[in-house]
């Protein structure tokens, strides 16, 4: 596998060139604070710097036009340009001038409160606990100096989406630092991009019932703009149960100028569906894998369980049915789920999967490679659902399912994490588009070991198991023309070398265990 240099073109790492340095410097300042807690400290300051930069740029423009009647202290002059009004006590220059003082935490809190007061869309969203005793004020001042050295909100920075990329980079880094807890707010960008590339949401209503930090919306909006569309071609609807993550999503959308309906507050999609009447054209989601305590015992008669009552100890098929319930008559859904969802027969899951397949809702299944997530090593897959497979947007593909086995794709970016490259994403999305009959991607062909069209009847013969490896067969191996004896000799030599390495490794492990007092 090719090693990464950390600057990859597909945007999963740094492409601006300074994020690594910025992260290292910021991380050094966090001392003993948990990444989960520190995340809000850092990202809150970046947000403050961003809106201050955009404000100052507009302020300078209005000041230059004062002779023509412009008033640089009139909030309406800013709102008219979709720029947040920043009161004097919240402007970055004021905070940086006081960064070394003992009251800096109080001043930042007051700045956040003042911004929320003047900008109702940010009400109850910004972090306001910089004055707490546990936050070292000297380090906070140093962090303000660090963030102050970066322009993230002027016209040039906005044109390069500097803040968005820094913000996303930090989200990914915090996800890695937080380990298991991180999956609640961050889905790796390359997975989101794969889903977006497959569904191609050019216009319509986009919904994510467990939206985390809002990554699905950000990538959808980027997709629309990259394909010549306008930002308001899509409408964004989301929901998030974790209060701090919900605030993170609101800020994430705000800094990118995306207007989204994430509800008035955080809420659980199962118990308090904030978008009850919504029928979405596209649903993109990465719900928590194998969620146990989801409150299923109180929802046994829910209208959403059309294909079977989900088990009380696993929410996978509750999420899926919630999304099907919200899918428009010609809608498409892309869902990231644990691999178990493709084959599990416990607690009625097999029956629910069978009913969903027989309803002809499954359009495509993609098996993903391992080590893609920061938060879990559980292997995952993509479910692509289509409410109507004969809706004239694409070819008639009723009673067919496309299986893609992408387990061999991706490249390692460090010892434990893998990403899907641009080439991988294009191949997966291109294969799906060719199969469903999009205008440009060329003719579809089954490729042994990678993709195959399968009928629902054949899936039924396999007990309604949806694991792609079961259907795509083995990859064709090229005959190198080498005599069998020579090939066998080479393979045997290689095998003995690997066995010798294994013996050495086992001996080292035994030795280390003995040193630790766990030897036999």
């Amino acid at each position: 596998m090719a090693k990464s240099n950390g600057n990859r073109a597909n945007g999963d790492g740094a492409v601006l060139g300074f994020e690594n340095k910025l992260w290292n410097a910021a991380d050094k300042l966090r001392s003993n604070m948990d990444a989960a807690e520190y995340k809000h400290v850092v990202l809150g300051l970046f947000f403050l710097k961003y809106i201050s930069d955009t404000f100052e740029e507009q302020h300078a423009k209005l000041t230059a036009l004062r002779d023509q009647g412009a008033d640089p202290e009139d909030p309406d002059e800013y709102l008219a340009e979709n720029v947040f009004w920043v009161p004097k006590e919240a402007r970055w220059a004021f905070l940086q001038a006081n960064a070394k003082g003992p009251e800096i935490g109080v001043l930042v809190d007051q700045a956040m409160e003042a911004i929320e007061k003047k900008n109702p869309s940010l009400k109850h969203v910004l972090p306001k606990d910089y004055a707490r005793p546990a936050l070292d004020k000297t380090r906070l001042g140093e962090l303000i100096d660090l963030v102050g050295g970066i322009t993230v909100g002027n016209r040039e920075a906005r044109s390069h989406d500097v803040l968005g990329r820094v913000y996303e980079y930090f989200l990914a880094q915090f996800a890695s630092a937080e380990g298991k807890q991180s999956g609640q707010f961050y889905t790796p960008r390359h997975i989101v991009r794969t889903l977006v590339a497959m569904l191609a949401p050019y216009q319509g209503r986009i919904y994510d019932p467990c939206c985390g930090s809002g990554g699905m919306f950000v990538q959808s909006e980027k997709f629309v703009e990259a394909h010549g569309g306008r930002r308001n071609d899509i409408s964004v609807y989301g929901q998030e149960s974790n209060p701090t993550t919900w605030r993170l999503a609101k800020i994430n959308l705000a800094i990118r100028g995306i207007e989204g309906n994430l509800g008035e507050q955080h809420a659980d999609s199962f118990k308090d569906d904030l978008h009850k009447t919504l029928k979405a054209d596209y649903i993109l989601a990465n719900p928590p894998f194998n969620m146990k305590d989801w409150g299923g015992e109180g929802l046994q008669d829910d209208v959403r369980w059309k294909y079977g009552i989900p088990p009380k100890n696993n929410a996978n098929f509750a999420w899926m049915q919630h999304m099907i319930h919200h899918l428009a008559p010609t809608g498409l859904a892309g869902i990231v789920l644990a691999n178990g969802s493709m084959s599990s027969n416990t607690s009625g899951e097999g029956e629910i999967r069978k009913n969903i397949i027989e309803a002809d809702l499954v359009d495509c299944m993609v098996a993903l490679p391992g080590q893609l997530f920061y938060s879990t090593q559980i292997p995952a897959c993509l479910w692509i659902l289509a409410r109507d497979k004969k809706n004239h947007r694409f070819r008639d593909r009723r009673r067919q399912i496309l299986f893609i086995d992408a387990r061999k794709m991706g490249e390692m970016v460090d010892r434990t994490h893998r990403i899907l490259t641009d080439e991988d994403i294009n191949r997966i999305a291109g294969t799906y588009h060719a199969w469903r009959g999009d205008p440009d991607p060329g003719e579809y062909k089954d490729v042994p070991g990678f993709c195959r069209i399968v009928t629902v009847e054949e899936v039924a013969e396999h007990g309604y198991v949806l694991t792609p490896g079961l259907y795509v067969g083995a990859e064709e191996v090229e005959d190198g023309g080498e005599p069998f004896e020579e090939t066998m000799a080479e393979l045997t030599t290689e095998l003995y070398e690997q066995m010798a390495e294994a013996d050495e490794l086992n001996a080292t492990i035994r030795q280390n265990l003995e040193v630790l007092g766990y030897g036999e």
Side-chain angles (χ1 to χ4, degrees), residues 125-248:
V125 169
L126 302 180
K128 294 179 285 291
D129 51 359
Y130 288 85
R132 65 186 186 278
L135 185 59
D136 186 310
K137 301 304 174 293
T138 302
R139 292 184 187 279
L140 176 60
E142 292 174 14
L143 189 59
I144 288 173
D145 279 345
L146 183 70
V147 175
I150 303 168
T151 300
V152 291
N154 67 9
R155 186 172 181 175
E156 186 181 353
R158 290 200 303 276
S159 71
H160 291 96
D161 192 22
V162 172
L163 181 65
R165 287 150 78 175
V166 168
Y167 206 78
E168 187 161 3
Y169 179 81
F170 268 63
L171 281 175
Q173 292 296 102
F174 279 122
S176 181
E178 286 182 49
K180 290 185 178 178
Q181 298 302 317
S182 62
Q184 293 185 15
F185 70 85
Y186 186 75
T187 305
R189 183 177 178 178
H190 55 97
I191 297 176
V192 180
R193 288 183 61 232
T194 305
L195 273 182
V196 170
M198 291 183 77
L199 264 56
Y202 288 103
Q203 60 180 12
R205 293 151 295 185
I206 297 179
Y207 173 52
D208 182 349
C210 41
C211 68
S213 56
M216 299 289 182
F217 305 134
V218 171
Q219 292 303 321
S220 296
E221 183 263 335
K222 284 187 176 183
F223 176 89
V224 170
E225 289 194 334
H227 289 80
R230 294 167 303 173
R231 181 170 291 178
N232 57 9
D233 286 346
I234 57 173
S235 307
V236 165
Y237 299 85
Q239 187 162 341
E240 172 56 44
S241 62
N242 183 300
T244 53
T245 307
W246 177 79
R247 287 198 289 271
L248 208 56

Side-chain angles (χ1 to χ4, degrees), residues 280-283 327-333 361 385-388 391 393:
D281 300 292
Y282 299 95
I283 298 177
L327 207 52
T330 58
L332 294 167
L361 290 166
L385 305 178
R387 174 69 89 176
D388 179 3
N391 61 19
R393 286 174 64 195

